[in-house]
């Protein structure tokens, strides 16, 4: 019996019954399942769903009270692959993304670009939606259960079982909580202690990890505050990203504001190495970001209803661990499958894609009665030929360039752009051409003149290839 059971009444609704306070015996799941999935996030539930639909008996193990309870994500869910697996329109989505805004912040100024194509208002809305993962992850896990998987919550996986080099199951914190199974899918997230403890991957270096902090805010005094503040109608939503010292101080990263149905998610993420040195107070940095002149009006009158923090893998393609082992595969954030190059902040689609391909590889190996890494290699091959690894590899150079040019891009250039914009649109009795020439000089001075501008264009030419 799981700690949270579902009972369905005649009308088809589902009632969740919390069994955490009952004196129930730990069930004996040893050798009862074909595969065990560690973690009921996007990657884990997708893997469980896909394997269950392939006819495998699957155990989905989640350490939280319910799937999503431990997830602090507050952003955009990208649904192209999910749409092929489940009825996305029936999912607990918040808003579709109708506008993307990118702002460069100094301490006081903002220079921004907004993108809002008309086609984003039409289904499927560019397959981009804000979600609250506590609700969405629970729903997706329920889809896996309906497909035949078994969900166990409030259960922490403490280690892996081995026979020689082969993974043959998991150890949990339950009494007599050893569970053997031919295949283990490790979807434990960015803080992947089980995989690291079993030497299936190395601990991430802090320069390859970001610390993320997020608040969910509500507007108790204004019923239509979100629509009014962000110029939205109906179910349309907005995704605002911010860069520069006005967003994250002296750190490499950025801030964000996402609109949910009746709340907003506001937060920031920057390198863990900066959190240990130049910008050691993420909560204080978030508070400063929230009071920036470009951000504060959006949040005026809001109150915090949730505060969370997490680590985010950002090592790129070069830091992807070995994905396939005898009896086990690694998926999602645990595999470092996150793209954050400033323009593209993606991880949800990569998590789903990896869970899907891993599940297919396990199902294929099970049909052949094999558990060795070679039999599971189809997962790695499918992922390498998918958009996941292709996108990570494509933008590997960009992260390195931005890191090298961080002072220019996050401090000097935002100030120069703000000053040049102020100068260009200055209203006085001087000729317009005079202001235009002054603004041009300000920009050129920031990048090192025409020569510096040419060098900068060469450094970032791959962006338009």
């Amino acid at each position: 019996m799981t700690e949270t059971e579902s009972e369905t009444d005649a009308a088809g609704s589902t009632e969740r019954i919390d069994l955490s306070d009952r004196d129930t015996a730990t069930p004996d799941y040893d050798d009862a399942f074909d595969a065990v999935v560690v973690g009921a996030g996007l990657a884990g539930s997708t893997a469980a769903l896909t394997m269950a639909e392939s006819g495998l008996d699957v155990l989905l193990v989640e350490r939280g009270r319910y799937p999503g309870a431990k997830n602090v994500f507050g952003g955009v869910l990208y649904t192209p692959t999910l749409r092929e697996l489940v009825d996305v329109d029936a999912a607990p989505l918040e808003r579709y993304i109708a506008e993307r805004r990118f702002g460069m912040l100094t301490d006081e100024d903002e220079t921004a670009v907004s993108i809002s194509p008309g086609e984003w208002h039409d289904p499927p809305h560019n397959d981009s939606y804000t979600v609250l993962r506590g609700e969405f992850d629970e729903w997706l896990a329920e889809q896996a259960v309906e497909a035949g998987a078994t969900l166990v919550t409030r259960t922490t996986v403490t280690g892996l079982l081995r026979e020689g080099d082969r993974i043959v199951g998991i150890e949990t914190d339950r009494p007599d909580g050893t569970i053997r199974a031919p295949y283990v899918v490790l979807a434990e997230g960015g803080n992947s202690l089980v995989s690291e403890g079993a030497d299936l991957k190395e601990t991430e270096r802090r320069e390859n990890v970001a610390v993320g902090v997020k608040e969910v805010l509500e507007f108790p005094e204004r019923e239509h505050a979100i629509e009014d503040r962000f110029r939205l109608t109906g179910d349309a939503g907005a995704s605002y990203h911010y860069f520069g010292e006005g967003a994250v101080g002296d750190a490499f990263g950025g801030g964000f504001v996402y609109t949910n149905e009746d709340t907003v998610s506001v937060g920031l993420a920057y390198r863990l190495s900066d959190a240990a040195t130049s910008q050691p107070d993420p909560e204080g940095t978030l508070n400063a970001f929230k009071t920036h002149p470009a951000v504060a009006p959006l949040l005026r009158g809001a109150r915090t209803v949730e505060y969370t923090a997490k680590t985010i893998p950002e090592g790129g393609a070069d830091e992807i661990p070995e994905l396939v082992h005898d009896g086990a595969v690694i998926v999602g954030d645990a595999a470092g499958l996150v793209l954050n190059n400033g323009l593209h902040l993606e991880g949800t689609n990569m998590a789903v894609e990896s869970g899907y391909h891993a599940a297919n590889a396990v199902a294929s190996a099970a049909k052949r009665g094999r558990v060795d890494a070679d039999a599971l290699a189809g997962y790695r091959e499918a992922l390498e030929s998918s958009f996941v690894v292709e996108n990570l590899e494509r933008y590997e150079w960009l992260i390195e360039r931005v890191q090298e040019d961080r002072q220019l891009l996050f401090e000097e250039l935002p100030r120069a752009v703000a000053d040049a914009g102020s100068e260009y649109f200055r209203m006085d009795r001087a000729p317009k051409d005079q202001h235009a020439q002054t603004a041009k000089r300000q920009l050129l001075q920031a990048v090192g003149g025409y020569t510096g501008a040419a060098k900068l264009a060469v450094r970032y030419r791959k962006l338009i290839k």
Side-chain angles (χ1 to χ4, degrees), residues 252 397-414 455-456 459-460:
F252 180 64
W397 66 273
L398 181 59
I399 303 300
E400 296 174 0
R401 291 283 195 279
V402 171
Q403 176 69 20
E404 293 168 359
D405 298 335
R406 58 187 291 183
Q407 184 173 349
L408 169 66
L409 297 178
F410 293 157
E411 297 179 26
E412 297 170 1
L413 194 56
K455 290 181 178 178
L456 201 62
R459 283 176 63 79
Y460 291 93

Side-chain angles (χ1 to χ4, degrees), residues 144-443:
V145 170
E146 289 180 8
T150 299
L151 171 65
V152 175
T153 60
R154 295 181 188 259
T155 301
T156 299
V157 176
T158 57
L160 299 179
L161 297 176
R162 287 183 181 271
E163 289 182 358
D165 293 331
R166 176 187 159 198
I167 306 300
V168 296
I170 61 173
E171 295 278 6
T172 75
D173 61 350
R174 298 274 190 122
D176 300 320
T178 297
I179 302 173
R180 292 178 176 271
Y183 307 98
V184 175
V185 178
L186 292 157
E188 53 184 322
N191 192 21
S192 44
L193 300 179
V194 176
S195 301
E196 293 171 9
D199 294 326
L200 301 187
K201 59 175 290 190
E202 296 181 357
T203 301
E204 294 280 1
R205 295 174 294 157
R206 65 184 188 183
E207 58 265 31
N208 291 330
V209 178
V211 56
V213 291
K214 183 206 73 174
E215 292 182 0
V216 176
L217 289 81
E218 66 177 6
F219 299 87
E221 304 300 327
R222 294 200 55 186
E223 183 178 356
H224 301 292
I226 294 176
E227 289 81 358
D228 294 342
R229 302 281 174 84
F230 296 87
R231 301 171 292 120
L232 303 172
T233 58
D235 295 330
S239 165
Y240 287 12
H241 296 154
Y242 299 91
F243 316 96
E245 60 185 344
V248 291
D250 187 19
F252 180 64
F256 60 84
V257 178
Y258 299 117
T259 59
N260 304 314
E261 181 178 1
D262 52 16
T263 62
V264 296
S265 296
V266 55
L268 49 83
Y270 58 86
R271 289 289 170 88
L272 190 59
S273 53
D274 291 327
T277 53
S278 60
Q279 202 70 27
D281 181 11
E283 183 177 2
T285 304
L286 176 58
N287 289 333
F289 170 62
K290 288 163 56 182
T291 60
H292 189 280
V295 179
L298 302 174
L299 310 178
R300 185 175 59 251
R303 68 182 180 190
T304 301
V305 295
E306 178 183 312
Y307 175 87
T308 48
K310 67 175 293 186
T311 57
I312 306 166
E314 292 188 344
D318 288 344
E319 298 300 321
I320 295 177
E322 177 53 59
L323 300 173
V324 177
H325 304 268
D326 292 341
V329 292
I330 305 176
V331 298
D333 282 12
L337 303 179
V338 176
L339 173 64
N340 182 3
N341 61 19
L343 296 177
H344 305 94
L345 282 76
E346 300 180 14
T348 57
N349 51 346
M350 295 184 173
V352 170
E353 192 79 5
S354 66
Y356 172 71
H357 288 306
N360 286 333
V362 169
S364 175
K367 287 180 180 178
R368 292 173 285 156
R370 294 177 57 184
V371 296
D372 54 286
D374 287 343
L376 297 169
Y379 163 46
R380 180 179 60 244
E381 294 166 359
L383 203 64
E384 288 175 348
S385 62
S386 74
F387 72 89
V388 176
V389 174
E390 182 177 335
N391 287 347
L392 289 174
E393 290 178 343
R394 172 176 171 77
Y395 292 106
E396 191 86 42
W397 66 273
L398 181 59
I399 303 300
E400 296 174 0
R401 291 283 195 279
V402 171
Q403 176 69 20
E404 293 168 359
D405 298 335
R406 58 187 291 183
Q407 184 173 349
L408 169 66
L409 297 178
F410 293 157
E411 297 179 26
E412 297 170 1
L413 194 56
R415 283 197 296 269
V417 171
D419 291 344
S422 178
E423 179 64 31
Y424 186 84
F425 291 104
R426 188 180 304 281
M427 296 302 299
D428 57 19
R429 300 179 69 185
K432 297 291 187 187
D433 184 63
Q434 178 178 321
H435 293 306
Q437 292 300 319
T438 301
K440 182 173 71 173
R441 285 196 298 272
Q442 290 172 325
L443 291 174

Side-chain angles (χ1 to χ4, degrees), residues 1 15 30 50 79 82 122 157 159 193 299 314 327 391 434:
M1 182 178 294
E15 177 185 4
D30 220 13
T50 304
T79 59
L82 265 179
D122 300 327
V157 176
L193 300 179
L299 310 178
E314 292 188 344
N391 287 347
Q434 178 178 321

